[in-house]
Amino acid sequence: MMTAVNSTSPAFNLRTLVRPNILVLEPYRCARDDYKTGVLLDANENAYGPSVLNSVVSQDPTFSSDLIAGLHRYPDPHQEEVKQKICDLRNASTAPLTSSSQLSSKLKPLSSENLYVGVGSDECIDTLIRCFAAPGRQKLLTCPPTYGMYAVAAQVNDVKVVKVNLELGTKGFPVRVGAVLDELSADPDITLVYLCSPGNPTASLVSPGVVEKILAHPTWNGIVVADEAYIDFAPDGSSLAPWVTKYDNLVVLQTLSKAFGMAGIRLGVAYASAAVARILNNVKAPYNISSPTSELALKALSTAGLATMRTNIAAILEQRNRLVIELAKIGGVGEFIGGDDANFLLFRVLDKPDGQPSSPVALKLYERLAQTKGVVIRFRGKEPGCEGGLRVTIGTKEENDVLLAKFAETLAQIYDEK
Ligand SMILES: Cc1ncc(COP(=O)(O)O)c(C=O)c1O
């Protein structure tokens, strides 16, 4: 008989996984859950209008009065319209399941009941911990080098972090899937695995086959979180989001902060099975997404918004290719250790033009660029496997011109001083 390797783990049990206090939680309900129009005297709002209306609109006629006219009302607690638009976008392209699981079923499309929207994906990261990891008792697993907020949110929630480093020294930093599976077998207190795909700072996709293996772990009762903040810079069809209709123990995170260029509105998305999404929605603050945020999100998700996003992605990828070529010509820039799936590059800086990777030199360069040249990049030399590491976000052509000139000049100065 064939074993079902590519399906939700048989050990997955949402009722025993979710924290008991969350399982019995009566979510906050407002009248607006049921009635959205009419003479609205239910929520102690101020019917006389937003206090900024006159000052902003009369002093700045270019400011959109539409955007602020309704600010005296609480926003939609459920954000159905935003959720539907996001589903439409993601249903249009899906990562193929690996061949064996393709046999077993076709994916159902995502619907709004699969979504939870948060104040950036940072809020989603935190909400998941609050639902599925009991303070002082349970743990989450991360694969460093990775996004720092998983550990910060864990600490805020008094949840320990088990670290299984990525394969260090291998291009693209693959997940050591055997080591992750072993850790999950050994420690039932781990209830969440945070995978970053494409990784920050690795800029590499996690292989879908690896994610499937963890999802199918035969004895582990927990949730795999695939953080896809940078997914739109990866090849089309790389997102695992639609998989949540097949895998009850998968949550996928995305954001409008990166490819959409909307970091200021703070909108993140968690895709999950309807049951898991319901739990996340029960826990959130009733009106966590502001009306300006959802209005602007709808514009970003409109046909025109998506076209602009795609144009900007193409420009970023072109600039990324340019930076790879031009940075590599600078004496002292070493190996590019990250992949090609994000809007940033990760590479090493050497102790001399043909020397060894050096974190002290990378740190000095980072500090001097920020303090004396007005160019701010990110020092990553303390992360595992990132000796001499710098992470550089791809800017506009003009910003990249400045970066290249200042980078070369400052690194040469540092070598001259030695
Ligand atoms: C991997 C990863 N996840 C999540 C986030 C947070 O994104 P948001 O702006 O949606 O909170 C970031 C931001 O840098 C990130 O790099």
Side-chain angles (χ1 to χ4, degrees), residues 120-122 125 147 150 196 200 227 229-230 255 257-258 266:
S121 36
D122 282 339
I125 291 167
Y147 181 46
Y150 311 139
C196 194
N200 174 5
D227 181 347
Y230 300 95
T255 177
S257 297
K258 309 295 180 182
R266 311 302 300 126

Side-chain angles (χ1 to χ4, degrees), residues 118-125 146-150 195-201 227-230 253-258 262-264 266-269 344 391:
V119 181
S121 36
D122 282 339
E123 188 185 25
C124 305
I125 291 167
T146 193
Y147 181 46
M149 274 305 289
Y150 311 139
L195 299 174
C196 194
S197 177
N200 174 5
D227 181 347
E228 296 188 339
Y230 300 95
L253 305 182
Q254 292 178 353
T255 177
L256 294 201
S257 297
K258 309 295 180 182
M262 301 291 285
R266 311 302 300 126
L267 192 99
V269 190
F344 53 85
R391 193 193 71 197

Side-chain angles (χ1 to χ4, degrees), residues 291-315:
S291 319
T293 291
S294 56
E295 268 193 58
L296 290 167
L298 286 173
K299 300 231 183 302
L301 292 159
S302 68
T303 307
L306 292 175
T308 303
M309 172 192 81
R310 290 186 177 118
T311 305
N312 290 346
I313 289 174

Side-chain angles (χ1 to χ4, degrees), residues 365-379:
L365 176 58
Y366 156 74
E367 287 175 346
R368 209 169 284 180
L369 278 171
Q371 289 164 14
T372 66
K373 309 288 166 91
V375 175
V376 185
I377 59 174
R378 195 90 153 101
F379 172 66

Side-chain angles (χ1 to χ4, degrees), residues 48-333:
Y48 291 74
S51 54
V52 295
L53 193 55
N54 287 334
S55 51
V56 174
V57 177
S58 62
Q59 283 167 26
D60 181 357
T62 62
F63 203 91
S64 166
S65 53
D66 288 352
L67 201 64
I68 51 177
L71 285 184
H72 58 304
R73 298 294 178 196
Y74 281 109
D76 175 4
H78 305 298
Q79 298 298 335
E80 276 299 320
E81 210 182 340
V82 171
K83 287 178 180 172
Q84 193 50 54
K85 282 267 183 222
I86 293 171
C87 290
D88 295 345
L89 174 67
R90 296 309 173 192
N91 282 330
S93 90
T94 311
L97 290 162
T98 55
S99 52
S100 47
S101 56
Q102 248 166 352
L103 293 175
S104 54
S105 69
K106 269 193 71 121
L107 292 171
K108 275 199 317 214
L110 291 162
S111 69
S112 60
E113 63 175 10
N114 295 114
L115 264 63
Y116 158 71
V117 282
V119 181
S121 36
D122 282 339
E123 188 185 25
C124 305
I125 291 167
D126 179 72
T127 310
L128 281 158
I129 299 175
R130 286 194 288 135
C131 290
F132 296 110
R137 187 162 66 80
Q138 291 178 315
K139 305 173 190 169
L140 60 85
L141 185 147
T142 65
C143 297
T146 193
Y147 181 46
M149 274 305 289
Y150 311 139
V152 171
Q155 191 168 345
V156 167
N157 287 288
D158 193 15
V159 162
K160 289 225 159 23
V161 178
V162 174
K163 295 179 181 172
V164 177
N165 281 353
L166 296 169
E167 188 86 54
L168 309 179
T170 304
K171 175 89 177 153
F173 294 82
V175 172
R176 291 165 51 234
V177 64
V180 171
L181 295 175
D182 288 349
E183 201 64 56
L184 299 178
S185 302
D187 193 346
D189 288 337
I190 299 171
T191 53
L192 291 161
V193 170
Y194 276 89
L195 299 174
C196 194
S197 177
N200 174 5
T202 66
S204 293
L205 284 167
V206 174
S207 138
V210 162
V211 180
E212 281 190 308
K213 278 193 183 135
I214 303 173
L215 291 168
H217 189 294
T219 60
W220 176 62
N221 186 19
I223 287 184
V224 178
V225 184
D227 181 347
E228 296 188 339
Y230 300 95
I231 197 68
D232 293 300
F233 300 107
D236 250 6
S238 298
S239 174
L240 304 184
W243 286 23
V244 300
T245 60
K246 176 177 168 64
Y247 291 105
D248 293 340
N249 53 348
L250 173 66
V251 173
V252 176
L253 305 182
Q254 292 178 353
T255 177
L256 294 201
S257 297
K258 309 295 180 182
F260 287 84
M262 301 291 285
I265 69 169
R266 311 302 300 126
L267 192 99
V269 190
Y271 305 84
S273 72
V276 169
R278 200 172 310 118
I279 290 168
L280 298 171
N281 280 302
N282 285 351
V283 166
K284 77 174 180 63
Y287 311 107
N288 63 332
I289 304 302
S290 76
S291 319
T293 291
S294 56
E295 268 193 58
L296 290 167
L298 286 173
K299 300 231 183 302
L301 292 159
S302 68
T303 307
L306 292 175
T308 303
M309 172 192 81
R310 290 186 177 118
T311 305
N312 290 346
I313 289 174
I316 289 167
L317 299 189
E318 191 184 319
Q319 286 298 312
R320 188 181 69 191
N321 293 342
R322 171 191 173 214
L323 279 190
V324 169
I325 294 167
E326 296 300 323
L327 281 167
K329 291 181 189 161
I330 298 174
V333 170

